[in-house]
Amino acid sequence: MKKLVALILAAVLTATLFTGCSNSAGQNGGGGTDDEGGSTKFTVWMLKNFSDVSNQYFVDRSEQFGAEKGIDVTVEMIPYAEFLTKWTAAIESGETPDVTYMGYQEAGMFAAQGVLMDLSDVYQQIDEREALYPSLRSAVSYEGAQYAIPYWTEPIVLHYRKDLLEKAGYTEPPKTWEEFREIAKACNDAATGVIGAGVGFGKNNSDAEWFARAVIWSYGGALFSEDGTSSIVNSKETEEAVQLISDMFLVDKSVAPSAVNWDDSSNNNAYLSGQAAMVINAGSIYNNLKTSDEELYAKTGVATLPSGPAGRYIPGVCNNLAVFKNTENAELAKEYLLYMTEPESYREWLADGAPLTCPIYESFKNDEIWQDPVNKAFIDTVDSFVFLGYKTDFNPAAGEVYTQRMVNDMFQQVLVEQTDIPTALQNLQDQIDAVIGK
Amino acid sequence: MRQGDYIRTGSRRANLRRLGIALISPVVIYMLIVMVFPFIWALFVSLTDKKVGSEGAFIGLQNYGEIMKDPLFWRSVLNTVIFTAAAVLLKVVFGVVMALLLNERIVFRNLNRALLILPWTIPTMVSVLIWQWIFSDISGVLNYILLNLHLVEERVGFLASRSLAMGAVVLVNAWRGIPFVGISVLAGLQCIDGTLYEAATIDGANVLQRFRSVTLPMIKNVTILATIVTTVWTLGDFEIVWVLTKGGPSNGTQILSTLSYTYGFMNMDIGKALAVALISFPPLAVLIHFTTKRMLDQS
């Protein structure tokens, strides 16, 4: 009997090791009225970006909304890597924030799961007040309705070191991915510790997912068929693109030795510490350089992503605000969205974050700030955004493939296990087909 | 005995019984709320197809079946065994050595004892981030030292291959766990009666013989107990592996806890995540059973 009791105790303790964490989530979420009958609590989860000024402006503006409405607004600034865990925990515990930042890839996925509020009416009002980029609608739509409000776009561009390229004999940034490989190889210098291409394929790296798609698409490959009913990733075109990247890693060795373990901050760190000749990233690096390193800032050039045999493809990064269905403050949340996208104050917020934060309103591209050559290089790409799901429209399956980092996993098979490319692509295709078939 | 005495004795027993129940009930209620109910909930959800945000329908053992057929699960099992065995071995060997050293009359003994505990007192997240910086090939201190000492010609990707990454996570786990074994064994060493050594010396035992015949038997129990406890902790470790490698590269450090997290939080498949967690429960239960049994026996 004593043994039985001890065994049961052991069993329960063991299970608790794994299950205990499930009840601790969502402590910071939740809106509604506080228990003492005081003012309404309104919670916002916002992406913490690299501009403190921009972050603070967002907080101040939100608090201003709270003051005007007589409610208590709390803004929690959260790094991107932590969002998925927080959303998951919040949804399961029912303690969701009233408004949350959400990439369109996640918004599509959550919309399909039925946990997001239909914001089509708010989208319509915002669009009528000031015209949004038409292309953004498809990124936040699911079955014809809009489940998130675009808040800013993040063009991905090539950042390069003018001095290092010149030293290697190049006066212009690469125009094609082949040139990108060539210049990376030429700039790579083990003696000085300079990496030719600051790209990585860590397990959870989101930058890598965008970079890989840019190359694959520009070689004529795609993850999804035109009707979106199957994956066509295992193709000659994709194979060429993967081969190019694989050669940079395994043949040229023009990347960092531990690039297969890089996370989203690694390429920023490599460039900001002067150890990368070229990186592909959103404007966070440029924003950081402006204030932290004038010398490196002067040596930095920005260019549109290189093109491939099938043309130039810019993966569209659209960041949004979304509302969970179970919020107690649905109407306030909608008012908040209208308030935060009010064109004049929104314009000020954008200015603080430029060129990382590009506008959702098409007419803003004519503003003076976006005529600056560097900022222009960023904003000019918004018109040609291609969203996840290409060759079809963005869809939840495309969001899920992105969120699960399936393309990264394929590259890890090729780069770490040195699986042959067609086999790795077939594995990826099977995985994507499984997601589509759900 | 008179009838009244029987009644009084019976009533006293009943009172004692009620008192016993009253005293034990907070613990029982705590166990029910914090342990039993979550366990039953986890078991039930693992039998459903629950995804984040959905209710989930009962699917019996389907999750378990799918997991058993998944090569990634078996790779995770193997990685878990390698990770745990290697880390525990390092912790026990170095923990015992450290305890033996700190039990001797060495200079700055108290300072050294305090330093022994240091890795254990630093929050896991902080220490793992420091190790991440040490291993980094971008401004990482280890590569800097190796390059400047001309021990390597180019930077080493310590987290770039499966074997090196596994070695790195084992090293960090061992570094954090050695103090626990060290302190436990040191406590055992402090309890050894000095006269035993004197008697052995009089009998002509040399240092090695004294160690084998006196020290080892006296610290055996505490070492076994510390080993079992640290094995359970290592099996359940998550933070070190997740922060350093996220289970990569190419699932080279994917262990059961990170796989469960990946299923639950990345893939949003709660049912499968809990099935992975519960499938690894029998060996852990046996270990905890032995630990508690040993503790009860000793007490």
Side-chain angles (χ1 to χ4, degrees):
Chain A
M1 185 64 188
K2 194 177 162 186
K3 277 186 178 176
L4 182 67
V5 170
L7 195 61
I8 292 170
L9 185 68
V12 169
L13 279 168
T14 311
T16 312
L17 284 175
F18 294 102
T19 59
C21 61
S22 63
N23 291 325
S24 60
Q27 288 167 354
N28 298 319
T33 307
D34 68 21
D35 294 340
E36 292 166 6
S39 66
T40 300
K41 302 277 185 197
F42 191 84
T43 311
V44 180
W45 286 358
M46 180 56 174
L47 180 71
K48 183 179 171 66
N49 74 29
F50 287 84
S51 165
D52 289 340
V53 180
S54 170
N55 290 335
Q56 191 55 50
Y57 188 94
F58 186 89
V59 173
D60 292 345
R61 179 82 179 146
S62 299
E63 286 174 353
Q64 196 180 335
F65 172 77
E68 287 177 23
K69 293 286 170 191
I71 59 170
D72 185 5
V73 176
T74 305
V75 180
E76 198 180 331
M77 306 302 285
I78 301 167
Y80 180 70
E82 290 175 22
F83 262 106
L84 206 53
T85 312
K86 291 199 65 115
W87 287 321
T88 304
I91 293 166
E92 282 305 300
S93 66
E95 293 288 317
T96 52
D98 295 295
V99 174
T100 178
Y101 153 84
M102 203 171 268
Y104 74 99
Q105 58 277 13
E106 292 101 8
M109 204 169 63
F110 285 128
Q113 285 172 348
V115 295
L116 291 185
M117 186 187 288
D118 181 347
L119 297 171
S120 302
D121 53 341
V122 183
Y123 191 98
Q124 193 63 27
Q125 286 178 62
I126 292 171
D127 197 25
E128 281 168 9
R129 188 175 60 188
E130 181 73 51
L132 294 158
Y133 275 98
S135 63
L136 300 182
R137 181 182 288 268
S138 70
V140 294
S141 296
Y142 172 63
E143 293 183 342
Q146 286 73 56
Y147 286 87
I149 301 299
Y151 200 60
W152 79 99
T153 57
E154 262 183 42
I156 298 170
V157 299
L158 173 76
H159 297 68
Y160 64 97
R161 284 276 299 273
K162 291 185 270 191
D163 57 327
L164 293 177
L165 261 65
E166 273 171 28
K167 197 175 149 193
Y170 296 91
T171 51
E172 292 286 320
K175 297 270 188 304
T176 65
W177 290 113
E178 286 291 343
E179 283 179 24
F180 178 72
R181 178 188 170 188
E182 183 188 309
I183 294 175
K185 190 179 174 185
C187 291
N188 202 58
D189 187 350
T192 56
V194 169
I195 304 155
V199 293
F201 277 100
K203 180 89 183 153
N204 203 26
N205 191 326
S206 65
D207 288 343
E209 290 277 332
W210 299 118
F211 164 64
R213 280 167 178 76
V215 183
I216 290 170
W217 292 342
S218 67
Y219 271 78
L223 275 65
F224 292 86
S225 62
E226 282 179 25
D227 60 5
T229 57
S230 63
S231 173
I232 54 164
V233 75
N234 191 7
S235 65
K236 280 281 164 211
E237 292 81 6
T238 315
E239 199 180 320
E240 273 183 62
V242 176
Q243 187 69 58
L244 177 109
I245 294 172
S246 169
D247 286 346
M248 289 180 71
F249 275 71
L250 303 176
V251 180
D252 305 346
K253 297 187 190 303
S254 55
V255 299
S258 63
V260 288
N261 195 52
W262 271 20
D263 59 23
D264 283 337
S265 65
S266 304
N267 54 355
N268 292 48
N269 293 337
Y271 194 87
L272 294 171
S273 61
Q275 293 180 71
M278 296 185 287
V279 294
I280 287 160
N281 207 348
S284 51
I285 288 178
Y286 218 80
N287 266 1
N288 199 310
L289 282 176
K290 272 195 289 191
T291 51
S292 67
D293 192 337
E294 281 180 22
E295 198 184 330
L296 189 55
Y297 180 72
K299 291 176 185 168
T300 298
V302 171
T304 317
L305 290 187
S307 62
R312 176 177 287 114
Y313 284 77
I314 314 289
V317 181
C318 176
N319 296 296
N320 317 280
L321 296 176
V323 180
F324 285 107
K325 220 174 190 175
N326 63 347
T327 178
E328 289 174 23
N329 300 313
E331 285 312 308
L332 268 175
K334 287 182 176 183
E335 285 180 46
Y336 175 81
L337 295 174
L338 285 164
Y339 187 85
M340 295 302 282
T341 51
E342 190 278 312
E344 282 320 303
S345 65
Y346 176 70
R347 186 174 261 131
E348 285 179 41
W349 177 75
L350 283 174
D352 288 332
L356 173 68
T357 50
C358 283
I360 52 171
Y361 298 122
E362 195 166 17
S363 65
F364 280 29
K365 67 181 174 189
N366 301 319
D367 287 2
E368 197 183 335
I369 189 170
W370 298 106
Q371 306 317 309
D372 168 87
V374 170
N375 291 351
K376 196 166 169 53
F378 280 83
I379 202 166
D380 279 352
T381 67
V382 179
D383 282 321
S384 50
F385 269 180
V386 177
F387 292 104
L388 297 171
Y390 173 81
K391 298 182 172 177
T392 185
D393 284 339
F394 171 70
N395 55 76
E400 192 170 332
V401 169
Y402 172 92
T403 309
Q404 293 192 21
R405 308 285 188 263
M406 288 183 179
V407 175
N408 277 12
D409 283 348
M410 181 273 292
F411 271 103
Q412 291 220 333
Q413 282 178 36
V414 172
L415 302 174
V416 181
E417 296 175 53
Q418 310 210 342
T419 306
D420 66 279
I421 295 172
T423 306
L425 286 176
Q426 188 56 48
N427 292 341
L428 175 61
Q429 185 160 304
D430 293 343
Q431 284 180 302
I432 298 173
D433 279 335
V435 172
I436 295 169
K438 275 183 187 174
Chain B
M1 192 180 278
R2 288 175 302 178
Q3 196 181 0
D5 292 339
Y6 278 119
I7 293 167
R8 271 197 295 278
T9 309
S11 162
R12 210 163 127 195
R13 276 187 188 152
N15 283 339
L16 279 172
R17 197 185 217 161
R18 276 197 288 273
L19 178 67
I21 291 169
L23 289 172
I24 205 170
S25 56
V27 179
V28 172
I29 292 167
Y30 172 81
M31 294 275 283
L32 283 172
I33 294 172
V34 177
M35 297 181 178
V36 179
F37 291 149
F39 174 64
I40 294 169
W41 175 82
L43 191 61
F44 171 73
V45 175
S46 74
L47 301 173
T48 69
D49 62 356
K50 179 169 174 52
K51 306 282 187 294
V52 172
S54 74
E55 286 300 317
F58 184 78
I59 53 167
L61 294 171
Q62 193 179 314
N63 282 331
Y64 291 91
E66 285 174 10
I67 287 165
M68 299 297 258
K69 281 189 228 155
D70 188 350
L72 181 56
F73 170 74
W74 292 109
R75 179 182 282 183
S76 305
V77 170
L78 181 64
N79 286 342
T80 308
V81 171
I82 293 169
F83 172 70
T84 307
V88 169
L89 184 69
L90 283 176
K91 282 187 267 195
V92 172
V93 170
F94 284 98
V96 170
V97 169
M98 199 170 270
L100 289 169
L101 270 173
L102 294 176
N103 196 43
E104 296 300 316
R105 294 187 184 283
I106 54 170
V107 285
F108 302 122
R109 189 166 69 164
N110 287 339
L111 176 69
N112 283 318
R113 282 180 179 174
L115 287 174
L116 164 68
I117 312 173
L118 202 62
W120 209 26
T121 57
I122 302 171
T124 313
M125 191 58 85
V126 175
S127 57
V128 179
L129 287 173
I130 292 169
W131 276 101
Q132 196 176 40
W133 167 69
I134 290 171
F135 289 134
S136 170
D137 52 4
I138 303 295
S139 315
V141 69
L142 192 52
N143 267 306
Y144 178 82
I145 292 169
L146 292 174
L147 282 167
N148 280 282
L149 292 176
H150 302 290
L151 293 172
V152 294
E153 287 178 359
E154 55 186 40
R155 285 178 288 197
V156 180
F158 289 105
L159 304 173
S161 78
R162 284 171 164 184
S163 50
L164 280 177
M166 178 57 87
V169 293
V170 165
L171 177 69
V172 178
N173 183 283
W175 175 81
R176 272 193 65 77
I178 287 169
F180 169 72
V181 179
I183 290 294
S184 304
V185 175
L186 185 60
L189 286 168
Q190 300 274 296
C191 296
I192 301 175
D193 191 341
T195 56
L196 291 174
Y197 288 108
E198 285 170 22
T201 310
I202 291 166
D203 288 346
N206 61 26
V207 175
L208 276 178
Q209 286 168 326
R210 286 201 300 272
F211 177 72
R212 203 183 60 210
S213 307
V214 179
T215 311
L216 269 187
M218 297 301 283
I219 61 168
K220 192 183 85 181
N221 278 347
V222 73
T223 308
I224 290 172
L225 191 61
T227 305
I228 294 172
V229 170
T230 203
T231 303
V232 172
W233 287 346
T234 310
L235 276 169
D237 190 17
F238 168 77
E239 276 174 299
I240 290 172
V241 178
W242 189 254
V243 176
L244 271 181
T245 64
K246 304 275 187 297
S250 200
N251 296 308
T253 58
Q254 191 76 269
I255 56 174
L256 287 169
S257 59
T258 54
L259 182 67
S260 177
Y261 183 86
T262 302
Y263 276 137
F265 288 96
M266 308 298 290
N267 303 359
M268 313 235 158
D269 194 337
I270 304 284
K272 207 173 258 184
L274 287 168
V276 169
L278 291 171
I279 222 167
S280 54
F281 142 78
L284 269 176
V286 170
L287 270 174
I288 294 178
H289 166 65
F290 281 117
T291 313
T292 47
K293 189 170 177 287
R294 204 167 184 97
M295 281 173 171
L296 290 171
D297 287 350
Q298 280 183 351
S299 65

